[in-house]
Amino acid sequence: MHKTPSGSTLGDGGLDLTQAFFKPISNAAAPSLTKRHTKISVIGAGNVGMAIAQTILTQDLADELVLVDAKPDKLRGEMLDLQHAAAFLPRTKIVADVDYAVTVRSDLCIVTAGARQIVGESRLNLLHRNVALFRNIIPPLAMYSPETILMIVSNPVDILTYVAWKLSGFPSNRVVGTGTNLDSSRFRFLIADHLDVNAQDVQAYIVGEHGDSSVALWSSISVGGVPVLSFLEKQQIAYEKETLESIHKAVIDSAYEVISLKGYTSWAIGYSAAALAKSILRDQRKIHPVSVLAKGFYGVDGGDVFLSLPAQLGRGGVLGVTNVHLTDEEEQRLRDSANTILDLQGQLGL
């Protein structure tokens, strides 16, 4: 398919516009080799993929943005729609194709392709419909960009991140799932809403599975640097455990509510994925709760399993996992969440 209508010539064999418009600088030095050309490929041009692409563009995270999808007409339409906004965006080359060769030498490949979640359907029930799809996606990405970092967005994200790791043959630090990064944002929003503060002042994590067995780390929540539960205890302010559980349940149910209302989720995951891309590509070394190879952390030792833990992200991908204090109950729930995922992974034969 036609990748982009842009070029430096006017028509086939036409006037070289670069030569006509610009007089070269004499004795100019070659561009510095330290200047990075950042290339991001987004696989899947559906609602989620395009929300991520749009956010990447507006936040100026890439010099080149590649879109890949199985539907050529839809793909070209999305590419043109973004290209036509060039006057309002930072300068980014936008390319689209059904051929994975277009992703060659990508710094980051973001995989969003997958079957759409049906209203009321658990994320885990999407597993068997998406594994076969990944067998056609991950190997060519790894072949054309052997040094890339894979970011998996497709659900069920934890198991599909494991599938991507297995199919790519990459070291585990270069395969990451968006995991509970968005769940944690929803969690922070709900806590901030209860306390009438800015969500950015709330430090709170959801870990484990991105789904029904996720774990809210209430023991480590702080607002403005103040540990919430210990503050309540010191002030002898009573609180009900059921109240805390209701907030966690609202986090779990929030995606289902959005899907039931508008048919899909897109904008929040778009911002979430772009935030992760920024941390990775700009080597910001920020802590994000993302899906990583969890074996050996927090007592998870039943097998190779990807689930969300607070991890430091940078140019090398996953740089490490934070030693957040967990209560015995939280650690047990995390292990239970890992076992939920492991039970399903055992059926994949990878």
Side-chain angles (χ1 to χ4, degrees), residues 5-302:
S6 62
S8 62
T9 60
L10 204 60
D12 294 336
L15 174 67
D16 187 333
L17 297 182
T18 302
Q19 294 296 323
F21 271 82
F22 302 103
K23 184 176 180 179
I25 302 297
S26 59
N27 301 318
S32 170
L33 294 178
T34 60
K35 172 68 173 69
R36 287 197 64 88
H37 175 87
T38 303
K39 181 174 180 178
I40 300 177
S41 292
V42 177
I43 314 305
N47 296 310
V48 171
M50 294 314 300
I52 293 172
Q54 188 266 350
T55 312
I56 286 170
L57 289 173
T58 56
Q59 295 189 8
D60 196 14
L61 299 182
D63 299 296
E64 182 175 357
L65 177 64
V66 173
L67 304 175
V68 177
D69 196 274
K71 300 177 180 178
D73 291 342
K74 167 81 158 59
L75 185 60
R76 177 164 169 75
E78 295 287 8
M79 177 194 72
L80 291 173
D81 207 6
L82 290 177
Q83 287 179 339
H84 296 166
F88 316 116
L89 293 168
R91 185 172 185 268
T92 303
K93 181 181 179 182
I94 304 171
V95 181
D97 209 309
V98 296
D99 189 342
Y100 283 88
V102 76
T103 67
V104 65
R105 291 185 296 276
S106 292
D107 296 285
L108 177 65
C109 292
I110 304 175
V111 181
T112 73
R116 180 182 291 185
Q117 191 173 14
I118 301 169
V119 174
E121 180 183 25
S122 168
R123 291 183 179 94
L124 295 179
N125 289 335
L126 290 170
L127 174 61
H128 292 291
R129 291 196 285 149
N130 283 322
V131 169
L133 189 63
F134 266 49
R135 293 185 186 275
N136 296 320
I137 293 175
I138 302 302
L141 290 178
M143 179 180 69
Y144 287 114
S145 301
E147 302 301 319
T148 195
I149 294 171
L150 291 174
M151 183 193 298
I152 308 304
V153 183
S154 313
N155 279 317
V157 66
D158 302 296
I159 296 179
L160 290 180
T161 304
Y162 167 82
V163 170
W165 173 56
K166 283 293 189 180
L167 293 176
S168 68
F170 284 0
S172 61
N173 65 294
R174 289 202 284 119
V175 183
V176 61
T178 50
T180 59
N181 194 52
L182 177 52
D183 304 65
S184 297
S185 175
R186 291 165 174 153
F187 193 34
R188 293 167 66 187
F189 162 74
L190 290 171
I191 294 170
D193 196 45
H194 275 268
L195 300 176
D196 195 22
V197 298
N198 192 309
Q200 293 185 358
D201 291 323
V202 178
Q203 189 80 7
Y205 294 126
I206 299 285
V207 298
E209 179 210 353
H210 172 57
D212 298 341
S213 70
S214 64
V215 183
L217 300 185
W218 287 104
S219 63
S220 61
I221 291 175
S222 65
V223 177
V226 179
V228 172
L229 294 191
S230 61
F231 173 80
L232 294 177
E233 291 169 359
K234 287 179 181 179
Q235 298 297 316
Q236 297 183 337
I237 300 173
Y239 64 90
E240 296 290 335
K241 189 173 181 180
E242 289 73 16
T243 302
L244 306 185
E245 292 298 331
S246 68
I247 295 176
H248 181 206
K249 186 176 186 303
V251 172
I252 296 173
D253 293 342
S254 58
Y256 299 124
E257 181 182 10
V258 174
I259 292 169
S260 68
L261 292 171
K262 61 177 276 190
Y264 55 90
T265 61
S266 58
W267 296 117
I269 186 59
Y271 282 105
S272 174
L276 299 179
K278 185 176 181 179
S279 290
I280 291 169
L281 296 175
R282 294 187 178 172
D283 199 31
Q284 291 194 330
R285 296 173 178 258
K286 292 182 68 174
I287 310 299
H288 295 273
V290 289
S291 192
V292 299
L293 184 61
K295 187 177 182 180
F297 297 106
Y298 299 107
V300 176
D301 54 12

Side-chain angles (χ1 to χ4, degrees), residues 326-338:
L326 272 62
T327 65
D328 291 341
E329 181 183 2
E330 289 168 345
E331 193 164 314
Q332 183 58 54
R333 287 189 176 189
L334 183 62
R335 288 194 293 269
D336 292 343
S337 187

